[in-house]
């Protein structure tokens, strides 16, 4: 509810800016053409992931992970890290935070393992793993417009090296920090009672929908189209098999209201000096195009600082126009996607993750989280920013 209140306030401020002439109607229309499909995708993919979870698919995966780990905590953690990265890449970082956090915590507890390394892996990879595809992060979807509406394959080609680096380093950090806990063993329970309780029809439907959706999201078709189609199919299936699961709460209306209001306010601020301030912060760097190594690192660093101060979405919106070239935009994405590892409000995914931990009774020290992030972020963004400049 606080997110909805903030979103409503942002909408009021944005509409006031339109009424005062600070944001022309033509600019508002152009903004709507750009962001409405993005918000439609966010709504559809959230419905899809919630219903996939309700179908028992994620629980089924976690149950098999416990078997496939064969009693090795390290093997189980590798499977969880791979799932976290895959879910982030194809279904967005918020999906990983919302759905996988409780699954991996419960999985660790059932195995008698400390949940913190699994939970920390989830949130770190949810943020840093969101560089590879447009659908991985809302900032990436916004960047497609500035990058000339390139295809998902072209986007992935440009971001592949930074994405791999930013996924590898947090994983290594978890191994170093929790090496004692990850070298232990657990008992493999072969019981299947909880799997027998799942609806096999909905489970199979969810599996087929996910298998078809993943390649569709990278096919080059506007991502809201396959996401909406998947949502319609799952809603129809649940309407027949389990109507009680279909609730209005499946639609992330608070997030949509917040993001929509934020888009309008940030667009209005561009005409009040925000564009000039962003250009000063990012600088022009080395050379006429401003794409020298130090310049790319500066862009990424400013993006990371902005994300940890005010959240990564407004940070990206504030600096997008000043970034300019594709290499600088890629560096900015490195900063705002991989940089939010210090403050709890640096990304919505982190806030969601913490709320999930609170409900599950997992304690975390924000001072310790911030200290680890302060060490980790420079190790991530400096090399990744340089890799972002590789043609």
């Amino acid at each position: 509810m606080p997110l909805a209140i903030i979103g409503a306030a942002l909408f009021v401020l944005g509409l006031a800016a339109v009424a005062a002439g600070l944001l022309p109607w033509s600019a508002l229309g152009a903004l709507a053409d750009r962001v409405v499909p993005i918000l439609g995708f966010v709504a559809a993919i959230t419905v899809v992931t919630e219903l996939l979870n309700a179908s028992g698919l994620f629980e089924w995966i976690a149950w098999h992970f416990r078997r496939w780990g064969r009693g090795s905590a390290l093997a189980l953690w590798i499977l969880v890290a791979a799932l976290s990265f895959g879910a982030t890449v194809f279904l967005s970082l918020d999906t990983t935070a919302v759905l996988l956090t409780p699954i991996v915590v419960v999985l660790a507890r059932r195995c008698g393992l400390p949940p913190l390394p699994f939970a920390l892996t989830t949130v770190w990879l949810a943020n840093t793993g969101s560089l590879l595809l447009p659908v991985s992060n809302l900032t990436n979807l916004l960047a497609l417009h500035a990058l000339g509406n390139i295809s998902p394959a072209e986007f992935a080609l440009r971001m592949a090296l930074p994405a791999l680096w930013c996924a590898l380093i947090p994983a290594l950090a978890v191994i170093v920090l929790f090496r004692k806990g990850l070298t232990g063993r657990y008992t493999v329970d072969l019981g299947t009672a909880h799997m027998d309780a799942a609806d096999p029809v909905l489970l199979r439907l969810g599996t087929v929908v996910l298998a078809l959706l993943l390649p569709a999201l990278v096919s080059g078709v506007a991502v809201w189209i396959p996401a909406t189609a998947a949502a319609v199919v799952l809603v129809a299936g649940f309407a027949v098999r389990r109507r009680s699961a279909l609730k209005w709460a499946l639609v992330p209306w608070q997030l949509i209201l917040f993001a929509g209001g934020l888009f309008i306010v940030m667009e209005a601020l561009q005409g009040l000096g925000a564009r000039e301030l962003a250009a000063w912060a990012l600088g022009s760097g080395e050379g006429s195009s401003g794409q020298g190594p130090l310049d790319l690192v500066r862009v990424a660093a400013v993006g990371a600082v902005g994300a940890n101060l005010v959240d990564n979405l407004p940070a990206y919106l504030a600096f997008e126009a000043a970034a300019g070239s594709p290499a600088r935009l890629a560096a900015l994405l490195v900063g705002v996607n991989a940089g939010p590892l210090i403050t709890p409000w640096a990304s919505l995914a982190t806030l969601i993750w913490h709320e999930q931990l609170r409900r599950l009774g997992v304690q975390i020290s924000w001072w310790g989280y911030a200290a680890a992030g302060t060490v980790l972020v420079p190790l991530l963004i400096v090399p990744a920013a340089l890799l972002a400049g590789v043609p």
Side-chain angles (χ1 to χ4, degrees):
M1 191 58 67
L3 196 64
I5 294 173
I6 295 172
L10 290 172
F11 254 106
V12 171
L13 288 174
L15 295 178
V18 173
L22 298 175
L23 180 61
W25 282 104
S26 58
L28 184 62
L31 178 67
D33 288 339
R34 180 182 178 188
V35 305
V36 167
I38 294 174
L39 295 179
F41 165 76
V42 171
I45 201 66
T46 303
V47 171
V48 167
T49 51
E50 291 285 356
L51 291 180
L52 288 178
N53 187 47
S55 74
L57 179 59
F58 292 114
E59 179 67 20
W60 181 87
I61 293 172
W63 181 77
H64 280 278
F65 276 11
R66 187 174 180 181
R67 295 168 61 91
W68 295 339
R70 297 183 179 274
S72 168
L74 181 59
L76 183 66
W77 174 83
I78 291 173
L79 291 170
V80 167
L83 178 61
S84 299
F85 181 69
T88 299
V89 167
F90 290 101
L91 298 175
S92 86
L93 73 168
D94 296 328
T95 294
T96 302
V98 170
L99 297 180
L100 292 195
T101 300
I103 290 174
V104 301
V105 168
V106 171
L107 175 63
R109 284 175 169 169
R110 285 178 179 172
C111 295
L113 299 172
L116 189 56
F118 294 87
L120 196 60
T121 299
T122 300
V123 72
W124 276 356
L125 287 180
N127 285 287
T128 65
S130 65
L131 280 167
L132 188 59
L133 292 178
V135 298
S136 307
N137 199 320
L138 189 55
T139 55
N140 300 352
L141 289 171
L142 289 168
L144 281 184
H145 177 79
L147 291 169
N149 293 315
I150 60 176
S151 69
E154 291 172 312
F155 185 94
L157 187 62
R158 170 164 287 280
M159 301 304 298
L161 292 178
L164 290 175
W165 176 263
C166 290
L168 177 63
I169 297 305
L172 293 177
V174 171
I175 292 176
V176 171
L177 290 172
F178 300 98
R179 55 190 177 277
K180 291 184 179 180
L182 293 177
T183 56
R185 305 284 300 177
Y186 66 90
T187 302
V188 180
D189 183 3
L190 301 181
T192 60
H194 69 284
M195 294 308 302
D196 293 338
D199 186 323
V201 174
L202 290 178
L203 182 59
R204 285 195 291 268
L205 177 64
T207 303
V208 171
V209 166
L210 183 61
L212 295 176
L213 177 62
L214 296 186
L217 291 175
V218 297
S219 65
V221 177
V223 292
W224 67 268
I225 297 175
T228 302
V232 169
V233 170
L234 287 172
V235 167
F238 272 84
V240 173
R241 302 288 299 185
R242 197 193 308 163
R243 187 180 295 270
S244 61
L246 300 178
K247 303 175 182 178
W248 285 111
L250 293 174
V251 180
W253 59 271
Q254 296 185 52
L255 175 58
I256 292 173
L257 185 62
F258 172 77
L262 185 61
F263 289 145
I264 298 175
V265 169
M266 293 305 297
E267 187 68 20
L269 289 176
Q270 294 301 309
L272 295 176
R275 185 177 289 107
E276 291 75 14
L277 181 61
W280 170 82
L282 295 187
S284 58
E286 302 172 8
S288 59
S289 62
Q291 295 182 183
L294 293 179
D295 182 50
L296 295 179
V297 171
R298 176 176 178 174
V299 171
V302 170
V305 170
N308 282 288
L309 288 177
V310 298
D311 185 81
N312 64 341
L313 184 55
Y316 174 80
L317 292 172
F319 296 121
E320 180 191 64
S325 69
R328 286 166 60 88
L329 277 167
L332 178 61
L333 287 175
V334 166
V336 299
N337 287 12
L341 301 182
I342 300 175
T343 59
W345 56 81
S347 75
L348 181 62
T350 304
L351 290 173
I352 294 172
W353 171 79
H354 180 252
E355 176 61 19
Q356 297 279 17
L357 293 187
R358 187 189 65 80
R359 292 180 181 180
L360 292 165
V362 177
Q363 300 297 320
I364 180 172
S365 166
W366 281 119
W367 289 110
Y369 181 90
T374 301
V375 174
L376 198 56
V377 167
L379 297 177
L380 288 169
I381 67 171
V382 173
L386 297 176
L387 291 171
V390 176

